Amino acid sequence: MSKLDDNEPACTAPSCNALALVVRSRLRDIGAFSVRRLLPSTEQHMVGPFIFFDHMGPADLPPGKGLDVRPHPHINLATVTYLFEGEIMHRDSLGSAQVIQPGAVNWMIAGRGIAHSERSPDERRRHGGRLHGIQAWVALPKNAEEMAPRFDHHDASTIPVIARPGVDLRLIAGTAYGAESPVKIMSPTFYVAATLDAGASIELPAEHVERAAYVAEGRIVVDGQEFEPGAMAVLRPHGGGNGATKALLRAAEKSRVMLLGGAPLDGPRYVFWNFVSSSKDRIERAKKDWKEGRFQKVAGDEKESIPLPE
């Protein structure tokens, strides 16, 4: 939801007019619970290289129940999972088996093709508990779309933390605020998990051409407009560096916000199901490969899979 706070004056400073549009989430059922989907949308296909953005939960899973995203394929993109609460077991066709916990980063580059599954770990499933986080896809530049697939896990202790008055910034991927994440990126990118105390503010990094802020919890104000959970404020693109319009984000209450963006990619990207590519023909080939069983099986999770949508 986006609105002008009755107590918040309209933005009249020279730094205003940074806001381009608002993307509002749509609910999507993934089985155990619903997610809020932001990207892609009819209003905004991508922000920088980000082409998919889901807010999972918060969901309270009862004992004996859990997340069960069966094995499925990807091409020509990287997936990134970031949790606020809970745990997810990742397995993939490279043989990776990794539990992701809050603050850590699972970064999977699909490249020419990979399959993976995401499920609640056995112990979590037995006892139940809360699951809350963000799943995003980053499209790869054309010269990296067909690279060898890889999976990288980064513990929470390796993720740079930038402290500002009333603000905690964790740099998940890319560069921002004078820091660089250890996550391997393929094009100019920034992805930051920010927590802000009530009244605290932060300027979005000016060095990136495309920028957005997603409210996961709390309320923020940008350009005199107030945003609540489920809304993504997309800023006007610019030429980079000093050409950027100043974009100040202020927390109206204690808030959790995801900051994301980067440089636009080298041409449009097409999306079908879990496939993203600069080539429609490549997506058709991936569809056929999955349907005919040519993707490698997910190690340790070989018994079932998600069929290709017809």
Side-chain angles (χ1 to χ4, degrees), residues 159-186:
I159 302 303
V161 177
I162 304 104
R164 300 285 172 86
V167 180
D168 179 271
L169 304 167
R170 295 176 184 270
L171 183 56
I172 299 168
T175 59
Y177 303 108
E180 182 174 358
S181 169
V183 172
K184 182 178 176 62
I185 60 171
M186 298 299 168

Side-chain angles (χ1 to χ4, degrees), residues 21-26 28 37-47 50-54 230 232 234 271:
L21 59 90
V22 181
V23 177
R24 294 178 174 83
S25 60
R26 300 96 63 204
R28 293 289 185 271
R37 182 154 300 164
L38 281 298
L39 299 176
S41 73
T42 54
E43 302 98 335
Q44 188 79 23
H45 190 58
M46 301 175 69
V47 177
F50 288 86
I51 197 165
F52 179 91
F53 193 95
D54 264 7
M232 178 180 285
V234 180
V271 182

Side-chain angles (χ1 to χ4, degrees), residues 78-82 103-109 138 150 152-155 158-160 171-175 180-187 189 191:
T79 68
V80 54
T81 303
Y82 189 83
V105 176
N106 270 9
W107 184 267
M108 184 183 75
I109 298 177
V138 174
R150 60 181 285 172
D152 295 319
H153 174 79
H154 300 272
D155 289 337
T158 69
I159 302 303
L171 183 56
I172 299 168
T175 59
E180 182 174 358
S181 169
V183 172
K184 182 178 176 62
I185 60 171
M186 298 299 168
S187 65
T189 302
Y191 191 27

Side-chain angles (χ1 to χ4, degrees), residues 109-125:
I109 298 177
R112 60 177 173 256
I114 198 169
H116 75 136
S117 64
E118 296 160 298
R119 300 183 187 267
S120 294
D122 292 341
E123 188 69 15
R124 282 274 174 172
R125 190 182 300 271

